[in-house]
Amino acid sequence: MSAQFTFRNRLLVGLTLFSMFFGAGNLIFPPYLGSLAGVAMPWAMAGFAITAVCFPILGVMTVARSGGLEALAARVHPVFASVFTLLIYLSIGPCLAIPRTASTSFEMALAPFFSPQAPALFGFSEFTVAQAVYSVAFFLVSGAVALNPDKLTQWLGKFTSPALILMIALLFVTCLVRPLAGYGITLPPYDINAFIRGFLEGYQTMDTLAALNFGLIIAINIRALGVKSTDDVVKETVRAGLIAGLFLFTIYMALAHIGATVGGAGLFTDNGAQTLTTAAKAQYGSWGILILGAIFFVACLNTCIGLLSCCSNYFNQTFPVFSYKQWLLFFVICSILVANAGLTMILKFSIPVLMAIYPPALMLIILGLTHRFNSQFSRVYPITIGLTTVVSILSALKDYGIEVPFMSYLPFYSVGLEWIVPALIGWVIGILYSKSSLEL
Protein backbone atom coordinates (compact mmCIF):
# COMPACT_ATOMS: atom_id res chain seq x y z
CA MET A 1 0.00 0.00 0.00
CA SER A 2 1.18 3.51 -0.79
CA ALA A 3 2.70 5.36 2.12
CA GLN A 4 0.66 8.36 1.00
CA PHE A 5 -2.53 6.81 2.35
CA THR A 6 -2.38 8.07 5.90
CA PHE A 7 -4.96 7.98 8.67
CA ARG A 8 -5.95 11.50 7.64
CA ASN A 9 -6.68 10.28 4.11
CA ARG A 10 -8.65 7.36 5.49
CA LEU A 11 -10.72 9.73 7.63
CA LEU A 12 -11.32 12.04 4.65
CA VAL A 13 -12.58 9.15 2.52
CA GLY A 14 -14.83 7.96 5.36
CA LEU A 15 -16.27 11.45 5.78
CA THR A 16 -16.80 11.68 2.03
CA LEU A 17 -18.81 8.45 2.05
CA PHE A 18 -20.77 9.62 5.10
CA SER A 19 -21.67 12.90 3.39
CA MET A 20 -22.81 11.06 0.26
CA PHE A 21 -25.17 8.96 2.38
CA PHE A 22 -26.43 11.73 4.65
CA GLY A 23 -29.12 13.66 2.83
CA ALA A 24 -32.61 15.02 3.48
CA GLY A 25 -34.23 11.72 4.42
CA ASN A 26 -31.45 10.97 6.89
CA LEU A 27 -32.20 14.24 8.66
CA ILE A 28 -35.96 13.83 8.69
CA PHE A 29 -36.65 10.26 9.81
CA PRO A 30 -34.66 9.89 13.08
CA PRO A 31 -36.15 12.97 14.87
CA TYR A 32 -39.68 12.02 13.87
CA LEU A 33 -39.03 8.47 15.05
CA GLY A 34 -37.75 9.84 18.36
CA SER A 35 -40.75 12.12 18.87
CA LEU A 36 -43.23 9.24 18.46
CA ALA A 37 -41.23 6.42 20.04
CA GLY A 38 -40.52 8.37 23.24
CA VAL A 39 -39.12 6.05 25.91
CA ALA A 40 -39.00 3.24 23.30
CA MET A 41 -36.65 5.31 21.15
CA PRO A 42 -33.57 3.09 21.82
CA TRP A 43 -35.45 0.01 20.58
CA ALA A 44 -36.80 1.82 17.54
CA MET A 45 -33.35 3.17 16.73
CA ALA A 46 -31.85 -0.30 17.06
CA GLY A 47 -34.15 -1.49 14.26
CA PHE A 48 -33.56 1.68 12.27
CA ALA A 49 -29.79 1.24 12.54
CA ILE A 50 -29.94 -2.19 10.91
CA THR A 51 -31.48 -0.96 7.64
CA ALA A 52 -30.13 2.61 7.73
CA VAL A 53 -26.56 1.94 8.94
CA CYS A 54 -25.59 -1.73 8.97
CA PHE A 55 -26.96 -2.77 5.58
CA PRO A 56 -25.66 0.33 3.74
CA ILE A 57 -22.16 -0.25 5.11
CA LEU A 58 -22.37 -3.98 4.41
CA GLY A 59 -23.54 -3.05 0.91
CA VAL A 60 -20.44 -0.95 0.32
CA MET A 61 -18.25 -3.80 1.56
CA THR A 62 -20.05 -6.45 -0.50
CA VAL A 63 -19.93 -4.50 -3.74
CA ALA A 64 -16.24 -3.66 -3.19
CA ARG A 65 -15.37 -7.32 -2.66
CA SER A 66 -17.56 -8.48 -5.56
CA GLY A 67 -16.07 -6.15 -8.14
CA GLY A 68 -19.11 -3.92 -8.59
CA LEU A 69 -22.90 -4.06 -8.39
CA GLU A 70 -23.39 -5.65 -11.81
CA ALA A 71 -20.86 -8.37 -11.03
CA LEU A 72 -22.70 -9.09 -7.79
CA ALA A 73 -26.15 -9.08 -9.42
CA ALA A 74 -24.88 -11.19 -12.35
CA ARG A 75 -24.62 -14.10 -9.92
CA VAL A 76 -28.42 -14.18 -10.20
CA HIS A 77 -28.61 -13.75 -14.00
CA PRO A 78 -27.11 -11.30 -16.53
CA VAL A 79 -30.57 -9.95 -17.45
CA PHE A 80 -31.44 -9.45 -13.78
CA ALA A 81 -28.13 -7.64 -13.29
CA SER A 82 -28.87 -5.17 -16.09
CA VAL A 83 -32.50 -4.48 -15.12
CA PHE A 84 -31.90 -4.39 -11.35
CA THR A 85 -28.89 -2.08 -11.65
CA LEU A 86 -30.74 0.26 -14.01
CA LEU A 87 -33.76 0.45 -11.67
CA ILE A 88 -31.55 1.29 -8.72
CA TYR A 89 -29.71 4.05 -10.56
CA LEU A 90 -32.96 5.55 -11.84
CA SER A 91 -34.50 5.41 -8.35
CA ILE A 92 -31.58 7.02 -6.53
CA GLY A 93 -30.93 9.27 -9.50
CA PRO A 94 -33.06 11.51 -11.73
CA CYS A 95 -36.40 9.83 -10.97
CA LEU A 96 -36.49 10.44 -7.25
CA ALA A 97 -33.52 11.06 -4.98
CA ILE A 98 -31.63 13.73 -6.94
CA PRO A 99 -34.64 16.03 -7.57
CA ARG A 100 -35.70 15.56 -3.94
CA THR A 101 -32.42 17.06 -2.70
CA ALA A 102 -33.25 20.44 -4.27
CA SER A 103 -36.94 20.52 -3.37
CA THR A 104 -36.34 19.48 0.24
CA SER A 105 -33.46 21.87 0.86
CA PHE A 106 -35.49 24.72 -0.69
CA GLU A 107 -38.47 23.93 1.55
CA MET A 108 -36.26 24.10 4.65
CA ALA A 109 -33.81 26.86 3.74
CA LEU A 110 -35.76 29.42 1.69
CA ALA A 111 -39.47 28.56 1.46
CA PRO A 112 -40.33 30.26 4.81
CA PHE A 113 -39.27 33.61 3.31
CA PHE A 114 -41.61 33.47 0.28
CA SER A 115 -45.37 33.59 -0.05
CA PRO A 116 -46.98 30.95 -2.30
CA GLN A 117 -49.82 33.37 -3.14
CA ALA A 118 -47.99 36.58 -4.03
CA PRO A 119 -47.70 36.99 -7.85
CA ALA A 120 -44.22 37.78 -9.10
CA LEU A 121 -43.56 37.17 -12.79
CA PHE A 122 -45.84 36.17 -15.72
CA GLY A 123 -48.55 35.10 -13.29
CA PHE A 124 -46.28 32.77 -11.29
CA SER A 125 -46.04 33.23 -7.56
CA GLU A 126 -42.79 34.47 -6.03
CA PHE A 127 -42.59 31.08 -4.35
CA THR A 128 -42.61 29.27 -7.72
CA VAL A 129 -40.06 31.64 -9.22
CA ALA A 130 -37.80 31.38 -6.18
CA GLN A 131 -37.97 27.58 -6.28
CA ALA A 132 -37.08 27.54 -9.99
CA VAL A 133 -34.12 29.90 -9.54
CA TYR A 134 -32.94 27.98 -6.49
CA SER A 135 -33.12 24.58 -8.19
CA VAL A 136 -31.14 25.84 -11.20
CA ALA A 137 -28.43 27.31 -8.95
CA PHE A 138 -28.43 24.24 -6.68
CA PHE A 139 -27.95 21.74 -9.51
CA LEU A 140 -25.39 23.89 -11.31
CA VAL A 141 -23.25 24.02 -8.16
CA SER A 142 -23.71 20.28 -7.60
CA GLY A 143 -22.88 19.52 -11.22
CA ALA A 144 -19.78 21.71 -11.14
CA VAL A 145 -18.37 19.80 -8.14
CA ALA A 146 -19.38 16.43 -9.65
CA LEU A 147 -17.38 17.22 -12.81
CA ASN A 148 -14.35 15.73 -11.06
CA PRO A 149 -15.53 12.59 -9.21
CA ASP A 150 -11.94 11.71 -8.23
CA LYS A 151 -11.71 14.93 -6.19
CA LEU A 152 -14.82 14.58 -4.04
CA THR A 153 -12.69 14.08 -0.93
CA GLN A 154 -11.31 17.58 -1.45
CA TRP A 155 -14.82 19.05 -1.31
CA LEU A 156 -16.97 16.70 0.75
CA GLY A 157 -14.35 15.22 3.06
CA LYS A 158 -12.49 18.42 3.90
CA PHE A 159 -15.18 21.09 3.95
CA THR A 160 -18.89 20.37 3.70
CA SER A 161 -18.99 17.15 5.75
CA PRO A 162 -17.18 18.61 8.81
CA ALA A 163 -19.37 21.73 8.56
CA LEU A 164 -22.52 19.58 8.55
CA ILE A 165 -21.38 17.55 11.57
CA LEU A 166 -20.51 20.69 13.53
CA MET A 167 -23.91 22.30 12.89
CA ILE A 168 -25.80 19.17 13.95
CA ALA A 169 -23.55 18.84 17.00
CA LEU A 170 -24.36 22.45 17.94
CA LEU A 171 -28.09 21.75 17.94
CA PHE A 172 -27.67 18.43 19.76
CA VAL A 173 -25.44 19.80 22.53
CA THR A 174 -27.86 22.66 23.13
CA CYS A 175 -30.78 20.20 23.41
CA LEU A 176 -28.66 18.08 25.75
CA VAL A 177 -27.79 21.01 28.03
CA ARG A 178 -31.23 22.67 27.85
CA PRO A 179 -33.68 19.85 27.08
CA LEU A 180 -37.25 20.81 26.30
CA ALA A 181 -38.41 17.82 28.35
CA GLY A 182 -37.64 14.20 29.09
CA TYR A 183 -38.71 11.39 26.77
CA GLY A 184 -42.46 11.06 26.40
CA ILE A 185 -44.81 8.12 26.15
CA THR A 186 -44.62 5.75 23.17
CA LEU A 187 -47.19 6.58 20.49
CA PRO A 188 -48.44 4.63 17.45
CA PRO A 189 -47.05 3.05 15.38
CA TYR A 190 -44.12 2.46 17.74
CA ASP A 191 -46.30 1.24 20.60
CA ILE A 192 -46.76 -2.23 19.04
CA ASN A 193 -43.26 -3.26 18.00
CA ALA A 194 -40.83 -0.37 18.08
CA PHE A 195 -37.91 -2.44 16.79
CA ILE A 196 -39.72 -3.73 13.67
CA ARG A 197 -41.18 -0.29 12.94
CA GLY A 198 -37.73 1.27 13.16
CA PHE A 199 -36.38 -1.46 10.86
CA LEU A 200 -38.97 -0.57 8.19
CA GLU A 201 -38.39 3.18 8.58
CA GLY A 202 -34.76 2.60 7.65
CA TYR A 203 -35.94 1.72 4.11
CA GLN A 204 -36.94 5.33 3.56
CA THR A 205 -33.38 6.63 3.71
CA MET A 206 -32.68 4.62 0.51
CA ASP A 207 -29.09 4.25 1.71
CA THR A 208 -28.90 0.50 1.09
CA LEU A 209 -29.69 1.12 -2.57
CA ALA A 210 -27.24 4.01 -2.72
CA ALA A 211 -24.56 1.88 -1.02
CA LEU A 212 -24.62 -0.55 -3.93
CA ASN A 213 -23.39 2.31 -6.12
CA PHE A 214 -21.27 4.55 -3.88
CA GLY A 215 -18.48 1.99 -3.59
CA LEU A 216 -17.31 2.69 -7.12
CA ILE A 217 -16.95 6.45 -6.56
CA ILE A 218 -15.17 5.85 -3.25
CA ALA A 219 -12.77 3.48 -5.00
CA ILE A 220 -12.00 6.19 -7.58
CA ASN A 221 -11.14 8.63 -4.78
CA ILE A 222 -8.99 6.06 -2.98
CA ARG A 223 -7.00 5.47 -6.15
CA ALA A 224 -6.64 9.24 -6.61
CA LEU A 225 -5.01 9.35 -3.15
CA GLY A 226 -2.28 6.92 -4.19
CA VAL A 227 -3.62 3.39 -3.60
CA LYS A 228 -3.10 1.28 -6.73
CA SER A 229 -3.51 -2.37 -5.74
CA THR A 230 -7.07 -3.67 -6.23
CA ASP A 231 -6.91 -5.60 -2.95
CA ASP A 232 -5.78 -2.48 -1.10
CA VAL A 233 -8.54 -0.41 -2.71
CA VAL A 234 -11.10 -2.96 -1.48
CA LYS A 235 -9.61 -2.88 2.04
CA GLU A 236 -9.69 0.91 2.17
CA THR A 237 -13.25 0.97 0.82
CA VAL A 238 -14.30 -1.35 3.66
CA ARG A 239 -12.53 0.87 6.22
CA ALA A 240 -14.20 3.95 4.76
CA GLY A 241 -17.54 2.18 5.17
CA LEU A 242 -16.85 1.49 8.85
CA ILE A 243 -15.90 5.13 9.47
CA ALA A 244 -19.01 6.37 7.64
CA GLY A 245 -21.17 3.93 9.61
CA LEU A 246 -19.82 5.22 12.92
CA PHE A 247 -20.66 8.81 11.97
CA LEU A 248 -24.11 7.82 10.66
CA PHE A 249 -25.06 5.95 13.81
CA THR A 250 -23.80 8.69 16.14
CA ILE A 251 -25.68 11.44 14.33
CA TYR A 252 -28.85 9.36 13.97
CA MET A 253 -28.88 8.85 17.74
CA ALA A 254 -28.33 12.58 18.31
CA LEU A 255 -31.24 13.46 15.99
CA ALA A 256 -33.49 10.83 17.58
CA HIS A 257 -32.69 12.28 21.03
CA ILE A 258 -33.65 15.76 19.82
CA GLY A 259 -36.94 14.39 18.51
CA ALA A 260 -37.66 12.49 21.72
CA THR A 261 -37.32 15.68 23.78
CA VAL A 262 -39.67 17.52 21.41
CA GLY A 263 -42.23 14.73 21.74
CA GLY A 264 -41.72 14.66 25.49
CA ALA A 265 -42.66 18.35 25.59
CA GLY A 266 -45.92 17.52 23.81
CA LEU A 267 -44.88 19.43 20.67
CA PHE A 268 -45.94 16.79 18.17
CA THR A 269 -45.54 17.51 14.45
CA ASP A 270 -46.45 15.92 11.12
CA ASN A 271 -42.92 15.06 10.01
CA GLY A 272 -39.26 15.10 11.00
CA ALA A 273 -38.54 18.42 9.32
CA GLN A 274 -41.16 20.11 11.50
CA THR A 275 -39.77 18.30 14.56
CA LEU A 276 -36.29 19.72 13.94
CA THR A 277 -37.78 23.14 13.20
CA THR A 278 -39.61 23.08 16.53
CA ALA A 279 -36.40 22.16 18.38
CA ALA A 280 -34.29 24.77 16.56
CA LYS A 281 -36.81 27.58 17.15
CA ALA A 282 -37.18 26.64 20.81
CA GLN A 283 -33.41 26.76 21.34
CA TYR A 284 -32.32 29.63 19.07
CA GLY A 285 -35.45 31.54 18.05
CA SER A 286 -35.35 32.90 14.49
CA TRP A 287 -31.63 32.07 14.28
CA GLY A 288 -32.60 28.43 14.65
CA ILE A 289 -34.38 28.50 11.30
CA LEU A 290 -31.20 29.77 9.63
CA ILE A 291 -29.07 27.09 11.29
CA LEU A 292 -31.52 24.37 10.28
CA GLY A 293 -31.73 25.72 6.74
CA ALA A 294 -27.94 25.57 6.49
CA ILE A 295 -27.93 21.98 7.80
CA PHE A 296 -30.47 20.86 5.19
CA PHE A 297 -28.72 22.74 2.40
CA VAL A 298 -25.30 21.21 3.08
CA ALA A 299 -26.70 17.70 3.63
CA CYS A 300 -28.72 17.79 0.41
CA LEU A 301 -25.86 19.31 -1.58
CA ASN A 302 -23.45 16.58 -0.45
CA THR A 303 -25.87 13.81 -1.38
CA CYS A 304 -26.74 15.39 -4.71
CA ILE A 305 -23.08 15.62 -5.69
CA GLY A 306 -22.51 11.96 -4.81
CA LEU A 307 -25.60 10.77 -6.68
CA LEU A 308 -24.83 12.82 -9.78
CA SER A 309 -21.31 11.37 -9.85
CA CYS A 310 -22.52 7.78 -9.44
CA CYS A 311 -25.29 8.00 -12.03
CA SER A 312 -23.16 9.79 -14.63
CA ASN A 313 -20.34 7.30 -14.18
CA TYR A 314 -22.68 4.31 -14.52
CA PHE A 315 -24.48 5.60 -17.60
CA ASN A 316 -21.20 6.59 -19.23
CA GLN A 317 -19.88 3.05 -18.77
CA THR A 318 -23.16 1.34 -19.75
CA PHE A 319 -24.14 3.67 -22.60
CA PRO A 320 -20.83 5.19 -23.79
CA VAL A 321 -22.53 7.05 -26.63
CA PHE A 322 -22.26 10.07 -24.28
CA SER A 323 -19.27 11.11 -22.18
CA TYR A 324 -19.33 11.39 -18.39
CA LYS A 325 -19.73 15.18 -18.62
CA GLN A 326 -22.56 14.91 -21.16
CA TRP A 327 -24.47 12.45 -18.96
CA LEU A 328 -23.85 14.75 -16.00
CA LEU A 329 -25.34 17.71 -17.89
CA PHE A 330 -28.31 15.56 -18.94
CA PHE A 331 -29.03 14.54 -15.33
CA VAL A 332 -28.66 18.12 -14.11
CA ILE A 333 -31.25 19.30 -16.67
CA CYS A 334 -33.62 16.39 -15.91
CA SER A 335 -33.34 17.01 -12.17
CA ILE A 336 -34.15 20.70 -12.58
CA LEU A 337 -37.29 19.85 -14.57
CA VAL A 338 -38.48 17.10 -12.21
CA ALA A 339 -37.78 19.13 -9.06
CA ASN A 340 -39.99 21.95 -10.36
CA ALA A 341 -42.70 20.16 -12.29
CA GLY A 342 -43.20 16.51 -11.54
CA LEU A 343 -41.76 15.44 -8.20
CA THR A 344 -45.14 14.65 -6.62
CA MET A 345 -46.13 12.34 -9.46
CA ILE A 346 -42.67 10.75 -9.56
CA LEU A 347 -42.87 10.07 -5.82
CA LYS A 348 -46.28 8.47 -6.27
CA PHE A 349 -44.96 5.93 -8.75
CA SER A 350 -41.36 5.61 -7.57
CA ILE A 351 -41.87 4.75 -3.90
CA PRO A 352 -43.63 1.42 -4.67
CA VAL A 353 -40.70 0.64 -7.00
CA LEU A 354 -38.35 1.28 -4.09
CA MET A 355 -40.35 -1.03 -1.86
CA ALA A 356 -40.19 -3.69 -4.59
CA ILE A 357 -36.42 -3.57 -5.07
CA TYR A 358 -35.36 -3.02 -1.44
CA PRO A 359 -35.88 -6.64 -0.22
CA PRO A 360 -33.94 -8.14 -3.17
CA ALA A 361 -31.18 -5.60 -2.47
CA LEU A 362 -31.01 -6.67 1.17
CA MET A 363 -30.88 -10.36 0.23
CA LEU A 364 -28.27 -9.72 -2.45
CA ILE A 365 -26.05 -8.13 0.21
CA ILE A 366 -26.60 -11.06 2.58
CA LEU A 367 -25.79 -13.60 -0.13
CA GLY A 368 -22.74 -11.57 -1.13
CA LEU A 369 -21.47 -11.51 2.44
CA THR A 370 -21.82 -15.30 2.65
CA HIS A 371 -20.56 -15.90 -0.90
CA ARG A 372 -17.78 -18.24 0.20
CA PHE A 373 -20.51 -20.66 1.30
CA ASN A 374 -23.05 -19.86 -1.43
CA SER A 375 -20.53 -20.23 -4.25
CA GLN A 376 -20.74 -24.01 -3.75
CA PHE A 377 -24.39 -23.98 -4.84
CA SER A 378 -25.08 -22.57 -8.30
CA ARG A 379 -28.85 -22.23 -7.81
CA VAL A 380 -28.82 -20.28 -4.54
CA TYR A 381 -28.62 -16.78 -6.03
CA PRO A 382 -31.29 -17.12 -8.77
CA ILE A 383 -33.84 -19.00 -6.63
CA THR A 384 -33.41 -16.90 -3.48
CA ILE A 385 -33.45 -13.54 -5.26
CA GLY A 386 -36.17 -14.74 -7.63
CA LEU A 387 -38.60 -15.62 -4.83
CA THR A 388 -37.73 -12.48 -2.88
CA THR A 389 -38.30 -10.30 -5.93
CA VAL A 390 -41.65 -11.85 -6.83
CA VAL A 391 -42.99 -11.47 -3.27
CA SER A 392 -41.71 -7.90 -2.90
CA ILE A 393 -43.26 -6.88 -6.25
CA LEU A 394 -46.62 -8.39 -5.29
CA SER A 395 -46.39 -6.64 -1.93
CA ALA A 396 -45.58 -3.29 -3.56
CA LEU A 397 -48.78 -3.53 -5.62
CA LYS A 398 -50.66 -2.57 -2.45
CA ASP A 399 -49.42 1.00 -2.97
CA TYR A 400 -51.24 1.01 -6.33
CA GLY A 401 -54.45 -0.26 -4.73
CA ILE A 402 -53.98 -3.84 -5.99
CA GLU A 403 -54.41 -6.48 -3.28
CA VAL A 404 -53.08 -9.98 -3.95
CA PRO A 405 -55.26 -12.27 -1.75
CA PHE A 406 -52.78 -15.00 -0.73
CA MET A 407 -50.14 -12.47 0.34
CA SER A 408 -51.91 -11.88 3.65
CA TYR A 409 -51.23 -15.51 4.64
CA LEU A 410 -47.46 -15.03 4.53
CA PRO A 411 -45.69 -14.75 7.91
CA PHE A 412 -44.87 -11.18 9.01
CA TYR A 413 -47.30 -9.71 6.43
CA SER A 414 -48.84 -7.45 9.07
CA VAL A 415 -45.49 -5.79 9.79
CA GLY A 416 -44.37 -5.45 6.16
CA LEU A 417 -41.73 -8.20 6.24
CA GLU A 418 -43.59 -10.86 4.27
CA TRP A 419 -40.57 -11.38 2.00
CA ILE A 420 -38.35 -12.85 4.74
CA VAL A 421 -39.74 -16.41 4.86
CA PRO A 422 -39.90 -16.81 1.03
CA ALA A 423 -36.30 -15.58 0.88
CA LEU A 424 -35.17 -18.18 3.44
CA ILE A 425 -37.16 -20.90 1.66
CA GLY A 426 -35.53 -19.89 -1.62
CA TRP A 427 -32.11 -20.13 0.01
CA VAL A 428 -32.80 -23.68 1.26
CA ILE A 429 -34.33 -24.79 -2.07
CA GLY A 430 -31.33 -23.34 -3.91
CA ILE A 431 -28.93 -25.37 -1.78
CA LEU A 432 -30.93 -28.62 -2.08
CA TYR A 433 -31.53 -28.22 -5.81
CA SER A 434 -27.85 -27.51 -6.42
CA LYS A 435 -26.86 -30.61 -4.43
CA SER A 436 -29.33 -32.81 -6.35
CA SER A 437 -28.02 -31.48 -9.68
CA LEU A 438 -24.44 -32.28 -8.63
CA GLU A 439 -25.40 -35.81 -7.60
CA LEU A 440 -27.11 -36.43 -10.92
Side-chain angles (χ1 to χ4, degrees), residues 186-203:
T186 303
L187 299 175
Y190 294 94
D191 57 333
I192 302 299
N193 194 320
F195 179 86
I196 294 297
R197 185 65 193 183
F199 182 94
L200 294 175
E201 282 298 311
Y203 284 15

Side-chain angles (χ1 to χ4, degrees), residues 299-379:
C300 291
L301 183 67
N302 288 346
T303 299
C304 184
I305 292 168
L307 292 176
L308 283 172
S309 297
C310 287
C311 291
S312 301
N313 190 75
Y314 167 75
F315 277 87
N316 172 233
Q317 291 184 352
T318 308
F319 308 103
V321 63
F322 296 127
S323 67
Y324 172 86
K325 292 183 179 179
Q326 288 172 327
W327 277 116
L328 179 62
L329 178 61
F330 173 75
F331 288 131
V332 165
I333 294 173
C334 286
S335 299
I336 291 172
L337 295 175
V338 174
N340 285 280
L343 185 56
T344 300
M345 188 60 66
I346 291 294
L347 282 170
K348 179 180 178 181
F349 288 98
S350 295
I351 288 178
V353 173
L354 285 176
M355 300 307 290
I357 63 179
Y358 224 96
L362 295 178
M363 282 308 302
L364 199 56
I365 291 171
I366 292 172
L367 293 179
L369 289 171
T370 54
H371 181 65
R372 184 173 295 181
F373 171 79
N374 296 319
S375 61
Q376 305 171 64
F377 310 105
S378 61
R379 311 296 185 185

Side-chain angles (χ1 to χ4, degrees), residues 131-194:
Q131 185 177 39
V133 172
Y134 174 85
S135 63
V136 171
F138 181 89
F139 285 120
L140 287 179
V141 171
S142 302
V145 178
L147 279 172
N148 299 293
D150 58 329
K151 295 181 179 178
L152 291 189
T153 52
Q154 304 302 311
W155 174 264
L156 303 184
K158 286 185 178 180
F159 300 110
T160 57
S161 185
L164 175 63
I165 292 172
L166 285 174
M167 287 188 290
I168 294 175
L170 176 65
L171 182 59
F172 169 67
V173 170
T174 307
C175 289
L176 199 62
V177 175
R178 294 193 316 231
L180 298 178
Y183 292 2
I185 61 172
T186 303
L187 299 175
Y190 294 94
D191 57 333
I192 302 299
N193 194 320

Side-chain angles (χ1 to χ4, degrees), residues 88-133:
I88 285 183
Y89 274 104
L90 289 175
S91 297
I92 68 164
C95 290
L96 179 58
I98 293 178
R100 190 174 69 176
T101 58
S103 58
T104 304
S105 58
F106 173 78
E107 288 287 339
M108 294 304 300
L110 292 179
F113 302 100
F114 294 95
S115 169
Q117 287 79 32
L121 187 64
F122 301 118
F124 294 103
S125 70
E126 64 178 22
F127 182 93
T128 302
V129 173
Q131 185 177 39
V133 172

